[in-house]
Amino acid sequence: MSTSTTDAVMAGFDDAARKDLADLYRDLHRHPEPAFKEERTAGIAADRLRAAGFEAHTGIGGTGVVGVLRNGDGPTVALRADMDALPVLEATGLPYASTDTYRDAEGRQIPLMHACAHDMHVTCLAGAAELLAAGRERWRGTLVALFQPAEEIAAGARAMVDDGVLDLIGRPDVVLGQHVFPNPAGTVLVSPGEVMAAADSLEIRLFGRGGHGSQPERTVDPVVLAAATVMRLQTVVSREISPFDRAVLTVAQIHAGHKENVIADEATITVNLRSFSPDVRRTLLTAVERVVNAEAAASGAPRPPELRTLNAFPLTSNDPAATARVHDAFTGHFGSERVTEMAPLMGSEDFGVFGAEAGAPSVFWGLGGADPGRYERAEREGRLSQDVPGNHSPAFAPVIQPTLPTGVEALVTAALAWLPER
């Protein structure tokens, strides 16, 4: 697709459209929803798709929304955005900050925040879909907009696939997606190959024999067992993974007991693993199981530990040829100074499920969301990690300008790199 065609479609992105999308973003940010409960967000997405002329299908994989715009013979291009928020108490100080909460499975009232910019992802896809629909006389093919639930728990993409989304839309020729990161707003980041890690989260129950704190000899203390397990797990990456490979093992939670003079019957820990290759992933999972069982045996535990998978994110890998096409389109539209390399991130995504299940190439790129001046100062002073909040931080929120227009333009540009001119 020529840059003139992209410019013609983007001509519809006037001041009124920009204001409308900025208002939509603030509204979505103010009203976050947890995984598989994105009813309000899904309803807004579906209404906007219908108004733009898409077939809108709702309830796919729970709360997923699929918009399909058939516009003559040609390839099928799928654009994806995720919708769910995080259990984080917002600390941005923004006038449109979230004060919403939800009740979890244990009945606790939990704060909610769009601390990973899924509200921006939804807004950008809504805007791109509307622009491409309004400019449909300039291209041909089928455009698909995927609004996905439950990315944060690695369940939404799989749920949509299992619910027949690929039967609904057919095999796409490419699947495209983007994510806001704490890079300078106005930039896009794209690279071929592995860009986001695979991740596995495990819950491990360690069993002991409880009793009085004054009689430890009558017990098997699961707290001591948990402590020994945590320390031993710290050696897995340093001693079982080559320094030329990348891996992270984090024990993020330990729970045991209810009173200071009672030795508990059991302890629970959670472990998060991240890797960039199948071999390293297998090594990590095997080592965790071996260490956990060995420490339980060494402690004389009355029964073996129980390991349960909480979630599993696939490796996010960009198809080289498809990425080259998108990169060239970005460079032609934005200029080479705004298109930078996307270094591999230890964060994880379930975006790749769509392309892998469809047997289609996929491309996932980054979108800068940090205030450029603030980022430049922090970088100059060596204080990026302290002064520029990252994803999942209670202080994280992309600046609306120029993040929002850049995200809309990136989706339109990438889609038109695949949709031929009429």
Side-chain angles (χ1 to χ4, degrees):
M1 183 71 67
S2 67
T3 55
S4 62
T5 298
T6 303
D7 291 342
V9 172
M10 289 304 306
F13 199 32
D14 56 18
D15 289 345
R18 290 169 184 258
K19 181 182 183 303
D20 173 61
L21 287 180
D23 289 343
L24 171 61
Y25 168 73
R26 294 186 189 97
D27 177 70
L28 294 174
H29 188 86
R30 188 179 285 115
H31 299 293
E33 296 172 297
F36 288 127
K37 297 184 184 297
E38 308 94 339
E39 289 92 353
R40 182 178 184 274
T41 306
I44 291 171
D47 287 346
R48 294 186 76 111
L49 287 171
R50 292 189 188 100
F54 285 76
E55 305 166 17
H57 306 268
T58 60
I60 309 299
T63 46
V65 177
V66 180
V68 182
L69 182 62
R70 307 183 196 279
N71 193 34
D73 293 336
T76 296
V77 175
L79 306 177
R80 174 269 201 177
D82 38 15
M83 299 188 293
D84 54 324
L86 287 159
V88 173
L89 179 62
E90 182 159 357
T92 62
L94 291 167
Y96 50 88
S98 167
T99 58
D100 287 2
T101 62
Y102 78 105
R103 196 172 297 279
D104 70 3
E106 285 73 44
R108 298 170 297 185
Q109 206 69 26
I110 306 296
L112 274 173
M113 177 192 173
H114 269 300
C116 205
H118 294 188
D119 47 351
M120 183 63 75
H121 304 166
V122 170
T123 305
C124 289
L125 180 52
E130 289 164 349
L131 286 169
L132 286 162
R136 62 171 68 91
E137 76 282 354
R138 303 302 300 259
W139 57 270
R140 57 186 173 81
T142 298
L143 180 67
V144 176
L146 302 169
F147 291 88
Q148 179 207 308
E151 183 277 333
E152 294 292 356
I153 61 172
R158 172 56 54 190
M160 292 185 76
V161 168
D162 290 347
D163 202 19
V165 68
L166 296 177
D167 296 329
L168 179 67
I169 67 174
R171 180 189 179 278
D173 290 271
V174 69
V175 185
L176 305 170
Q178 64 185 8
H179 199 297
V180 174
F181 296 119
N183 297 81
T187 60
V188 291
L189 305 89
V190 61
S191 295
E194 292 74 23
V195 291
M196 299 193 76
D200 298 275
S201 293
L202 308 173
E203 180 187 77
I204 302 168
R205 292 179 67 193
L206 301 167
F207 300 100
R209 185 168 59 248
H212 200 287
S214 67
Q215 297 176 314
E217 76 281 3
R218 300 173 65 90
T219 72
V220 174
D221 191 338
V223 174
V224 175
L225 168 55
T229 301
V230 170
M231 294 308 297
R232 181 70 181 187
L233 287 173
Q234 303 310 303
T235 69
V236 170
V237 172
S238 66
R239 288 298 174 266
E240 300 190 40
I241 303 298
S242 167
F244 296 102
D245 291 320
R246 292 164 292 185
V248 173
L249 186 156
T250 299
V251 179
Q253 294 175 297
I254 306 178
H255 301 285
H258 300 285
K259 199 172 189 304
E260 78 285 350
N261 65 345
V262 177
I263 293 173
D265 279 320
E266 66 178 74
T268 301
I269 65 175
T270 61
V271 180
N272 180 254
L273 309 170
R274 295 179 186 267
S275 57
F276 276 94
S277 80
D279 288 343
V280 172
R281 190 177 196 176
R282 280 191 295 270
T283 298
L284 291 172
L285 289 166
T286 300
V288 168
E289 185 173 4
R290 186 191 72 241
V291 167
V292 166
N293 281 293
E295 290 294 346
S299 295
R303 54 186 284 202
E306 293 180 359
L307 286 76
R308 179 171 71 94
T309 298
L310 298 176
N311 56 62
F313 289 85
L315 183 67
T316 302
S317 183
N318 285 341
D319 178 83
T323 303
R325 183 186 291 199
V326 170
H327 182 277
D328 289 348
F330 284 165
T331 302
H333 180 75
F334 293 112
S336 58
E337 69 281 358
R338 291 178 61 187
V339 181
T340 63
E341 181 181 357
M342 182 173 173
L345 299 171
M346 276 295 176
S348 302
E349 258 284 348
D350 66 351
F351 163 81
V353 169
F354 294 109
E357 290 294 325
S362 61
V363 185
F364 192 72
W365 62 87
L367 183 67
D371 176 83
R374 183 178 185 179
Y375 186 96
E376 183 181 355
R377 286 192 301 273
E379 186 176 41
R380 186 172 59 247
E381 297 168 4
R383 293 182 54 85
L384 280 175
S385 61
Q386 298 96 323
D387 295 347
V388 179
N391 301 76
H392 292 211
S393 163
F396 179 79
V399 293
I400 297 177
Q401 303 295 337
T403 309
L404 176 54
T406 303
V408 173
E409 291 176 45
L411 287 170
V412 170
T413 301
L416 290 176
W418 294 83
L419 296 167
E421 295 182 66
R422 278 189 173 278

